Amino acid sequence: MIDFCGLSLEHEIVNGSGTFDAIAARRAFGDELLECFPFSAFVSKTITLHPRAGNPPPRLWETAGGMINSIGLPNKGLAGYLEHDLPQLAELPVPLITNVMGATGEELAELTAACSERPEIAAVELNVSCPNVATGLDIGAVPAELERVVEQVRPATAKPLIVKLTPNTADVAACAQAAESAGADAVSLINTLRAMALGPDGRPWLGGRTGGLSGPAIRNVALAQVAAVAARVSVPIVGIGGVQTGAHAFDLLRAGATLVAVGTETFRDPAAGSRIARELGENAANSANPFA
Ligand code: RRO
């Protein structure tokens, strides 16, 4: 068992927020999904205070080593999530981490307080890659601003608080340090890298103009950022970025992560979480003896 902020998890592999729809998967695979759930904790897609339709299409662009998404946070809003999704997610056989995003510290604190009241929710993950409505900067990209926001949110819950960091910043380790000193129990990284694709007419292809690059293309960026953060903070780290195999997960653990989240790979293989956890076990056993 792995201890993560007081949660006992079966193995190190969780999903990246927004990359595995457990409710749709349950519809498709039935109770079989519950019997062999691929992740040791489930991270919800990002929830905002009010419902959002998301970005206009197109929302995806495939690259040589991954994909760019411009989904734009479509979700039912907090009330819709609590009423419709939470009862279904509570049936999953693993702890539930709810991911929330707000444009201000007040919004994030309100979302976190609402999650805090629900026993079905084991932990809260703050997605801080949203542009600040006042400054236009991503809230999580500026250490001093991030510290203020996490300080505002911290009193809203006694549950584990994970801050999901953006890689689109000058110094991700400074952001991690700011989150830690404001009371975060863990940090997760990396979210997607801002990217753009042009259509045949030379204009941005994605409805949101830019999107987030994920998949194998960002794996070594994730590794560098996780290592940089691990050198600067002592809270546990969830390593995320382009993991497709147990060996990739093992690299993130060796760089300092406690858990590893799998995202883009689950679009190709919905059971990737179980496979990667199994491979990771084999990899760790073999690596004890390099000649095995
Ligand atoms: O919904 C999205 O477009 C989205 C989000 Br909230 C995020 O955190 N990362 C990402 O790549 N896409």
Side-chain angles (χ1 to χ4, degrees):
M1 297 294 273
I2 311 293
D3 175 72
F4 176 72
C5 301
L7 305 177
S8 285
L9 307 183
E10 289 278 344
H11 55 75
E12 292 93 340
I13 307 299
V14 303
N15 65 299
S17 171
T19 60
F20 185 88
D21 185 338
I23 294 173
R26 174 95 187 267
R27 268 199 304 275
F29 299 109
D31 286 350
E32 210 182 311
L33 177 78
L34 306 186
E35 283 149 29
C36 42
F37 196 70
F39 306 108
S40 64
F42 180 72
V43 185
S44 80
K45 67 180 178 209
T46 300
I47 310 305
T48 51
L49 220 38
H50 304 293
R52 286 176 56 96
N55 285 342
R59 289 175 164 181
L60 291 178
W61 175 272
E62 188 175 346
T63 70
M67 70 177 191
I68 307 175
N69 84 80
S70 164
I71 310 297
L73 284 159
N75 77 99
K76 296 176 181 142
L78 176 64
Y81 171 76
L82 295 177
E83 187 182 341
H84 301 293
D85 291 358
L86 187 56
Q88 298 180 72
L89 297 178
E91 291 181 7
L92 299 177
V94 295
L96 172 64
I97 300 172
T98 296
N99 179 299
V100 298
M101 182 190 268
T104 61
E106 289 79 16
E107 271 189 32
L108 279 163
E110 188 177 339
L111 285 154
T112 303
C115 292
S116 194
E117 284 174 10
R118 303 301 294 254
E120 306 93 316
I121 298 175
V124 177
E125 181 174 63
L126 302 183
N127 188 346
V128 290
S129 36
C130 191
N132 178 316
V133 280
T135 65
L137 297 168
D138 281 4
I139 287 178
V142 182
E145 186 171 8
L146 179 60
E147 190 163 347
R148 265 198 308 280
V149 164
V150 178
E151 273 169 0
Q152 274 178 285
V153 175
R154 181 66 274 185
T157 188
K159 295 186 189 210
L161 188 63
I162 307 159
V163 176
K164 184 163 185 176
L165 302 170
T166 174
N168 303 306
T169 179
D171 185 352
V172 72
C175 294
Q177 215 170 12
E180 180 182 51
S181 56
D185 295 299
V187 292
S188 52
L189 69 150
I190 60 175
N191 203 326
T192 52
L193 286 157
R194 190 171 303 117
M196 180 188 268
L198 300 183
D201 60 0
R203 295 215 301 261
W205 170 261
L206 295 164
R209 282 184 61 83
T210 60
L213 179 65
S214 64
I218 71 165
R219 190 162 61 238
N220 298 83
V221 177
L223 203 52
Q225 295 208 0
V226 165
V229 167
R232 205 83 78 81
V233 301
S234 53
V235 291
I237 298 169
V238 185
I240 316 168
V243 169
Q244 295 179 295
T245 67
H248 300 157
F250 191 55
D251 278 353
L252 283 171
L253 297 178
R254 287 191 293 183
T258 297
L259 298 182
V260 171
V262 176
T264 305
E265 179 66 3
T266 60
F267 290 108
R268 215 180 52 76
D269 171 11
S274 310
R275 173 178 56 76
I276 292 168
R278 192 178 58 247
E279 290 170 356
L280 179 62
E282 291 161 5
N283 202 291
N286 288 343
S287 75
N289 175 0
F291 302 105

